[in-house]
Amino acid sequence: MMGKKLVTAQKRGETRALCLGLGMVACSMMMYFFIGITIVPFYTKSVWTTETVCKVLKANIKDKVFCPNSEGSENEEIFPYPCLQVWVNLTASGQEVMLYQTEDTLERNPKCSYVPDKVENSKEVKARIETIASNFKKYQIFPCYYDPGGTQTNVILSRLYPSKGLLFAFLWPTLMFTGGCLIIVLVKISQYVSVLSAWQ
């Protein structure tokens, strides 16, 4: 009787472990799919792939502009902000080009180097942009990214999804997939050993 209970408990444990392993594999595949349709397209679409050194030539704050993405939306979504324009000397080619914060900044407003997120307090936005402008004037030489193919003549300060970030995004589903496969293999080995012991 005790032996039957032990065998039943062992089978239940193996079933739960097998379900856990299959669940981990399924979750990792879903994470791979999610990363593949969200992060990977942005990474492959970016043409600013080569890092170089930029030197600030001028950083000016123009008159307030309205968020261009808010056209046709409700009035509460439209907010003005000071337009910061940063021009740099591109070391790779020696050209004078405009600097943008990320790829998304260029899409949201090509006239400004920095586009703030919407906040209720306009003074905070103004203070933040003034701080960014003063930092550019203080630290005039810094790394930036440009398009080696020449399709984009401007440069960006940082990439939304750099290579290290993409590898880090794939790290967790890879670990989960490996762990799930390892659990399934161990369960199958345990079942094989049990059958082999019973047969002997």
Side-chain angles (χ1 to χ4, degrees):
M1 179 66 82
M2 186 63 68
K4 290 183 179 180
K5 289 183 178 181
L6 289 174
V7 171
T8 304
Q10 182 181 2
K11 288 183 178 180
R12 289 179 180 176
E14 290 175 349
T15 302
R16 292 173 181 174
L18 189 61
C19 291
L20 175 63
L22 292 174
M24 291 175 65
V25 171
C27 288
S28 64
M29 296 305 293
M30 292 176 62
M31 292 174 67
Y32 277 129
F33 176 76
F34 179 76
I35 294 173
I37 63 174
T38 55
I39 299 179
V40 174
F42 286 104
Y43 176 80
T44 56
K45 188 174 68 172
S46 177
V47 295
W48 296 270
T49 56
T50 305
E51 184 175 352
T52 185
V53 177
C54 289
K55 183 179 181 180
V56 176
L57 298 175
K58 54 185 176 180
N60 301 324
I61 299 178
K62 302 295 183 180
D63 296 333
K64 288 187 177 181
V65 296
F66 289 91
C67 181
N69 282 354
S70 301
E71 294 180 357
S73 60
E74 298 180 0
N75 292 332
E76 62 180 11
E77 294 295 331
I78 301 176
F79 65 99
Y81 57 90
C83 182
L84 173 64
Q85 292 182 346
V86 180
W87 292 88
V88 298
N89 183 16
L90 186 60
T91 305
S93 61
Q95 295 178 333
E96 181 180 340
V97 296
M98 189 169 177
L99 174 74
Y100 295 94
Q101 184 184 12
T102 61
E103 302 95 329
D104 184 58
T105 306
L106 179 61
E107 294 182 1
R108 293 177 64 185
N109 190 354
K111 295 181 180 180
C112 303
S113 298
Y114 173 76
V115 178
D117 296 328
K118 183 189 175 186
V119 292
E120 298 297 332
N121 192 350
S122 59
K123 293 182 179 180
E124 293 182 2
V125 174
K126 183 179 179 181
R128 187 186 309 152
I129 292 177
E130 289 177 351
T131 302
I132 294 173
S134 63
N135 287 335
F136 276 120
K137 293 176 181 179
K138 183 178 180 181
Y139 307 101
Q140 295 190 347
I141 299 177
F142 50 87
C144 58
Y145 295 89
Y146 75 100
D147 175 20
T151 56
Q152 291 287 347
T153 57
N154 42 57
V155 295
I156 61 173
L157 181 61
S158 59
R159 301 183 65 185
L160 281 174
Y161 301 103
S163 301
K164 292 182 179 179
L166 188 66
L167 292 176
F168 185 77
F170 278 106
L171 175 63
W172 296 110
T174 301
L175 292 176
M176 183 177 293
F177 180 81
T178 304
C181 291
L182 184 61
I183 291 175
I184 294 174
V185 170
L186 291 176
V187 169
K188 292 299 181 181
I189 291 176
S190 176
Q191 291 177 346
Y192 174 76
V193 172
S194 298
V195 172
L196 187 61
S197 299
W199 180 77
Q200 289 179 350

